[in-house]
Amino acid sequence: MTTVTNKLNDFFSAYTLRAAKSGEILIQAGDEPAGVFFLTTGRVRKYDISDHGSEMVVNTYKEGAFFPMAWVINGEPNEYFYETATKCTYHVAPADDVVAFLKDNPDVLFDLLARVFRGVEGLTKRMAFMVGSNAHRRALFELYISCRRFGTADAGSACSINIHEGELAQAAGLSRETFSRELQSLKKSGRVLISRKGLTVTDMKWLERELEIS
């Protein structure tokens, strides 16, 4: 049986494979997107700019994601920036072709709906932590959600992520200095290991207990 992943890869591979360096804007806020972007490698950040000029991260896409679907399905104007967080490769397909593909493949459409609900749930939790928590808990939550979405399980309950503190700080809504202080405290206690490649949470079960996540 053809999987949803295979169907997506087969469909988007009909369009030119493109590449971008880290820090490139794929879609500018207020602009008409060039089409639907399908990410084959790397990560892309979706964010808005506050009245004070700071970036507010809404979502981070990884390999296999395609966007911006609110623009495609609902015809909503794009109000966000989509910027590569790492080196990326991707395809861009016309919106009408993507809509026709989804209508012809209800399993892919159902998978997209499941992704949307997971994203909404994650965004709701992030908002709750950002509004009702101190810097320490916000930093812990960002480590947790990043490990769950982008991490690689290591021995025991450890998890490694190839994401540096600047990106994590932005997603948590904290200054880099504040997030760095929290990381250094976690490093001293042995809860986090930091290297050039990223960082490792040494005990995810401890992290879940700290955040009271069952």
Side-chain angles (χ1 to χ4, degrees):
M1 180 181 294
T2 303
T3 66
V4 167
T5 299
N6 288 339
K7 284 186 176 182
L8 286 168
N9 287 329
D10 289 344
F11 170 75
F12 282 101
S13 64
Y15 305 92
T16 302
L17 182 66
R18 310 183 189 191
K21 299 178 181 178
S22 176
E24 289 191 25
I25 301 293
L26 299 182
I27 307 175
Q28 190 87 15
D31 287 355
E32 184 87 354
V36 177
F37 290 69
F38 177 69
L39 197 58
T40 52
T41 61
R43 294 193 309 276
V44 170
R45 298 186 305 123
K46 173 184 177 181
Y47 64 89
D48 194 7
I49 303 293
S50 71
D51 294 338
H52 302 291
S54 59
E55 295 182 5
M56 299 181 294
V57 178
V58 177
N59 197 4
T60 302
Y61 298 95
K62 61 180 180 179
E63 177 181 335
F66 49 104
F67 53 85
M69 294 311 295
W71 167 73
V72 173
I73 294 176
N74 300 324
E76 297 179 5
N78 173 57
E79 299 178 348
Y80 298 97
F81 295 90
Y82 291 78
E83 179 182 330
T84 56
T86 63
K87 291 190 294 185
C88 295
T89 55
Y90 60 94
H91 301 276
V92 183
D96 290 344
D97 291 1
V98 174
V99 170
F101 169 71
L102 292 175
K103 288 181 177 178
D104 290 341
N105 294 274
D107 54 337
V108 179
L109 184 58
F110 185 84
D111 181 73
L112 173 62
L113 182 63
R115 294 190 198 196
V116 170
F117 277 113
R118 286 196 297 269
V120 169
E121 184 68 18
L123 181 59
T124 301
K125 288 181 179 178
R126 175 178 277 128
M127 289 175 61
F129 271 91
M130 290 182 72
V131 172
S133 299
N134 57 24
H136 176 69
R137 285 180 60 79
R138 286 161 67 178
L140 290 183
F141 178 76
E142 199 55 46
L143 288 173
Y144 170 79
I145 203 71
S146 295
C147 281
R148 287 302 182 207
R149 292 195 63 201
F150 309 111
T152 301
D154 294 332
S157 64
C159 182
S160 296
I161 47 176
N162 186 19
I163 304 177
H164 294 284
E165 62 184 64
E167 187 179 342
L168 292 168
Q170 287 181 326
L174 298 171
S175 69
R176 184 162 186 165
E177 293 75 16
T178 298
F179 195 88
S180 181
R181 284 197 298 270
E182 295 298 332
L183 274 187
Q184 290 304 316
S185 176
L186 292 169
K187 181 181 178 181
K188 288 180 180 178
S189 65
R191 301 298 186 183
V192 168
L193 304 177
I194 302 175
S195 69
R196 291 182 178 179
K197 294 182 179 180
L199 52 87
T200 299
V201 175
T202 59
D203 189 348
M204 287 295 292
K205 292 181 180 178
W206 168 83
L207 188 54
E208 290 173 355
R209 289 195 300 271
E210 285 294 299
L211 294 171
E212 300 176 344
I213 295 175
S214 56

